[in-house]
Amino acid sequence: EPQPPVVPSCPLPGKICDVVRTERPRSCCGMAMAGFRTAKYQLPEWHRRNAGIYYQAFAAGEEAERGRAEAKHLVKQAAASAQRGQQFSKNTLGQRLQDIQFWRTELQKEIVELDAETNLLAAQKLRLERALDATEVPYAVVIDNLECRDRRQPPDLVIDQVERQLLKEADLIRDIRDLLKRTIIQATTQIRSNRIQKENCELDWSDKVETYHIDDKCISYCPDSTNVQSHPSSVKFEENASTPKSWAQFSHDNISSAEQEKLASVQLRSLINNIIHDASEDLRLQRAAVAEAFDSHCRELADAKLRLEQHLQQILKDIGEEEANIVKLKKAIRDKEAFLKVAQTRLYDRSFRPNIELCRDEPQFRLVSEVEELAVFLEALKRKLMESEQNLKNLEETRMKLEKEIAVKANSIFIDSQKCMGYRLRYPVDLEVASYK
């Protein structure tokens, strides 16, 4: 506040009174009257002293009048200055209240938005946890399918397309579970950051509320207030007091940090949505690929089993025919042996012809030729019988192999179609839907 102007005091002009010194004759009795003359003044001295008293009274009156005028002016100026100062302070406090109200409103808005965003992120984190729980069933199904297919018999225990797709599905589920776990940790960290920043904003907001109440109480004070008193030590500044710039920067930094955390939370929520959607889509596509591989492999197994059964039917038919052929061969051999016995008996009996009758006639040559022909045919029939018996043995072995292969194929079909595909019916339809349940 400007100081009131000071009117310089100027001294009144002084009066100089010259007293004429008179020449008076000296008395011889001066020494005798000395004791009386020291207590008395001369008339000019008396007038001169009265004039001095009058001058001092006049000067004191003028000085008092000037002081009263200066005091009146100073009182008026001090009252106006105090009024202006108090009004200016009140206006400054009012502006300060507006600033505090502005930052308090911004902080409260930020606290509400950050709290709502934290709740949304917590809901997304819950979706992640439910999605992670929902992946346990598909993973158990895949592991069970792989274990069941390991129980296939050696001819069908091959690394086929179904097993490749199942291994790919198991790797995909493991990757998805790892990704969901990492995202849950990231969401937990972000929720903690949101709550810390919200707490900082709430502390700043509570300080603003308390300060607003203090300044609002201060702006209501007036000289007539009954709750005002003297505080001489309140004039000094506190060492830890902030400046208006640092004060506004503090709230601005809190709001800026809250905005950054809120933006990071929004981006994380979007990322969580994309992760759950992409994971659900990848699982759906892989499930379809596994189902297609199972269907294709089951059709191949069914076709192979059908062809084996057809070959088995043919082999059974061939076995029946071969058995009948062996029966015929044996009968033919027996028949030919009977003819051979007849021919040999004839030759034997004719060898007893007497003398000249033991002749190499045409019947003899014919019987010898007949025996030789029958022996050749018998040998051929026996060889053919042996070949037929070996063929029958081969056919029986082939039948056993076919029956074993058919049993293996039936076991593989049962494992793939009944055990694996039947168990895959428990596979969740959609991971994204499961995250809401």
Side-chain angles (χ1 to χ4, degrees):
E1 292 296 332
Q3 296 293 330
V6 179
V7 179
S9 60
C10 57
L12 295 176
K15 288 183 179 183
I16 302 174
C17 298
D18 295 332
V19 179
V20 179
R21 190 174 181 183
T22 60
E23 293 293 337
R24 57 187 180 182
R26 294 183 178 181
S27 174
C28 60
C29 59
M31 292 303 293
M33 299 298 290
F36 297 96
R37 291 185 72 247
T38 55
K40 294 181 181 181
Y41 295 92
Q42 298 293 325
L43 184 62
E45 292 178 349
W46 179 76
H47 285 292
R48 189 166 56 249
R49 186 175 181 277
N50 288 338
I53 293 173
Y54 296 155
Y55 174 75
Q56 289 180 358
F58 177 76
E62 285 187 348
E63 183 68 24
E65 184 179 359
R66 186 172 57 251
R68 287 193 301 271
E70 291 177 358
K72 182 179 180 182
H73 178 72
L74 182 59
V75 169
K76 183 177 180 181
Q77 188 177 9
S81 177
Q83 188 69 25
R84 286 194 307 270
Q86 192 174 69
Q87 186 62 35
F88 183 73
S89 298
K90 188 174 182 179
N91 294 336
T92 305
L93 285 172
Q95 182 62 40
R96 184 65 173 176
L97 286 176
Q98 291 180 4
D99 295 341
I100 294 174
Q101 180 63 24
F102 169 76
W103 287 113
R104 186 176 71 173
T105 304
E106 292 296 322
L107 286 170
Q108 186 174 5
K109 176 184 176 183
E110 200 63 35
I111 290 170
V112 172
E113 292 179 355
L114 194 58
D115 184 64
E117 179 60 34
T118 303
N119 292 333
L120 292 176
L121 185 58
Q124 291 294 84
K125 176 176 171 287
L126 182 60
R127 286 188 61 199
L128 285 172
E129 293 172 350
R130 289 174 177 172
L132 180 62
D133 294 338
T135 57
E136 294 181 358
V137 174
Y139 189 70
V141 169
V142 173
I143 297 302
D144 182 78
N145 289 162
L146 291 172
E147 291 176 353
C148 287
R149 287 177 61 81
D150 286 340
R151 293 194 290 269
R152 292 175 298 172
Q153 296 181 6
D156 283 355
L157 192 59
V158 295
I159 302 176
D160 51 5
Q161 186 64 22
V162 176
E163 186 161 353
R164 294 190 185 94
Q165 292 296 334
L166 286 173
L167 292 174
K168 183 178 178 181
E169 187 176 27
D171 293 337
L172 176 62
I173 294 175
R174 279 193 291 267
D175 293 341
I176 290 175
R177 288 176 62 85
D178 293 339
L179 178 59
L180 291 177
K181 290 178 181 178
R182 292 196 304 270
T183 310
I184 288 173
I185 295 174
Q186 186 177 357
T188 303
T189 304
Q190 185 62 46
I191 289 173
R192 187 182 300 113
S193 300
N194 289 355
R195 289 173 177 169
I196 291 174
Q197 193 57 43
K198 178 192 171 187
E199 183 178 355
N200 293 336
C201 291
E202 286 176 343
L203 291 175
D204 193 6
W205 177 84
S206 64
D207 292 342
K208 293 288 188 298
V209 171
E210 185 177 356
T211 304
Y212 186 88
H213 290 159
I214 292 174
D215 285 351
D216 186 56
K217 182 175 65 173
C218 290
I219 203 174
S220 66
Y221 288 154
C222 65
D224 298 333
S225 299
T226 58
N227 54 347
V228 295
Q229 54 185 346
S230 178
H231 297 281
S233 62
S234 63
V235 179
K236 66 177 182 180
F237 289 102
E238 299 292 337
E239 294 181 357
N240 58 349
S242 61
T243 63
K245 183 177 180 180
S246 63
W247 174 79
Q249 187 65 36
F250 181 77
S251 297
H252 178 271
D253 292 342
N254 283 333
I255 293 177
S256 178
S257 300
E259 286 289 337
Q260 292 177 0
E261 296 297 339
K262 186 171 64 175
L263 179 60
S265 180
V266 171
Q267 293 175 351
L268 182 58
R269 285 197 297 110
S270 177
L271 177 63
I272 290 173
N273 280 329
N274 294 333
I275 287 175
I276 293 177
H277 178 269
D278 294 342
S280 176
E281 187 67 17
D282 292 342
L283 282 179
R284 186 185 64 82
L285 294 176
Q286 186 60 32
R287 179 191 178 191
V290 172
E292 183 178 358
F294 265 117
D295 291 338
S296 177
H297 188 62
C298 287
R299 286 195 299 269
E300 291 178 357
L301 288 175
D303 293 340
K305 180 173 177 293
L306 179 61
R307 288 194 298 270
L308 288 173
E309 289 175 347
Q310 291 175 352
H311 284 293
L312 179 61
Q313 293 295 330
Q314 183 64 38
I315 290 298
L316 291 176
K317 181 179 179 182
D318 291 340
I319 288 174
E321 293 177 354
E322 195 66 34
E323 289 176 348
N325 184 39
I326 289 174
V327 171
K328 291 179 181 179
L329 286 174
K330 288 181 177 180
K331 183 175 182 302
I333 290 173
R334 288 195 301 271
D335 293 342
K336 297 303 181 288
E337 286 177 348
F339 282 100
L340 181 60
K341 288 178 181 179
V342 171
Q344 288 176 350
T345 303
R346 286 176 179 175
L347 287 174
Y348 179 77
D349 289 343
R350 294 197 64 191
S351 64
F352 291 102
R353 288 176 297 169
N355 301 322
I356 197 63
E357 294 299 326
L358 188 61
C359 178
R360 298 179 180 174
D361 52 4
E362 186 65 21
Q364 185 71 21
F365 286 106
R366 180 58 194 155
L367 287 172
V368 172
S369 176
E370 182 181 4
V371 170
E372 291 177 354
E373 289 179 0
L374 288 172
V376 170
F377 280 114
L378 279 173
E379 187 65 25
L381 286 173
K382 289 179 179 180
R383 287 196 303 271
K384 183 59 65 178
L385 177 61
M386 293 177 62
E387 291 178 2
S388 297
E389 289 176 348
Q390 185 63 38
N391 289 337
L392 180 60
K393 183 178 180 181
N394 294 337
L395 288 173
E396 290 290 344
E397 292 178 354
T398 303
R399 177 184 66 82
M400 293 175 63
K401 290 180 180 180
L402 288 175
E403 289 177 348
K404 183 178 179 180
E405 286 295 325
I406 290 172
V408 170
K409 294 296 182 293
N411 180 64
S412 299
I413 291 174
F414 173 77
I415 290 175
D416 285 350
S417 63
Q418 300 296 326
K419 297 287 289 184
C420 294
M421 296 184 69
Y423 193 52
R424 290 183 69 84
L425 294 176
R426 300 177 56 186
Y427 205 102
V429 179
D430 192 349
L431 186 63
E432 187 172 6
V433 175
S435 64
Y436 288 103
K437 295 181 179 179

